[in-house]
């Protein structure tokens, strides 16, 4: 919501001296949160799944998810 608000202000010509800095800080906060989230998945969630589920259960989950190609 904060990023969208800042972008709308800038697009609407309501540029303040701090607009670019505010946008950059907000985006960097999002990046930090996402990195933290991904690290928790990799360090905690996925190892727990591997310890808990059988190979066939893991394969069933993997095959039920759509493939993401980036």
């Amino acid at each position: 919501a904060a990023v969208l608000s800042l972008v709308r202000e800038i697009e609407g010509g309501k540029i303040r001296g701090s607009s670019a800095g505010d946008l950059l800080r907000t985006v960097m906060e999002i990046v930090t949160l996402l990195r933290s989230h991904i690290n928790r998945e990799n360090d905690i969630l996925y190892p727990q799944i591997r310890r808990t589920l059988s190979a066939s259960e893991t394969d069933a989950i993997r095959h039920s998810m759509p493939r993401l190609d980036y």
Side-chain angles (χ1 to χ4, degrees):
V3 170
L4 183 58
S5 176
L6 288 164
V7 168
R8 285 186 176 153
E9 282 182 17
I10 292 169
E11 287 178 340
K14 299 177 188 173
I15 298 174
R16 296 171 277 124
S18 63
S19 293
D22 291 345
L23 181 59
L24 180 60
R25 274 188 293 286
T26 302
V27 169
M28 292 307 296
E29 287 175 16
I30 293 169
V31 168
T32 299
L33 287 170
L34 286 173
R35 281 185 180 149
S36 175
H37 176 85
I38 291 167
N39 287 336
R40 281 193 304 271
E41 284 182 340
N42 291 338
D43 296 342
I44 299 168
L45 179 64
Y46 297 139
Q48 182 66 37
I49 288 170
R50 283 192 288 280
R51 286 190 299 270
T52 305
L53 299 179
S54 69
S56 63
E57 290 170 320
T58 303
D59 284 342
I61 292 170
R62 184 180 298 119
H63 293 297
S64 71
M65 298 175 72
R67 181 178 168 91
L68 301 175
D69 293 317
Y70 292 100

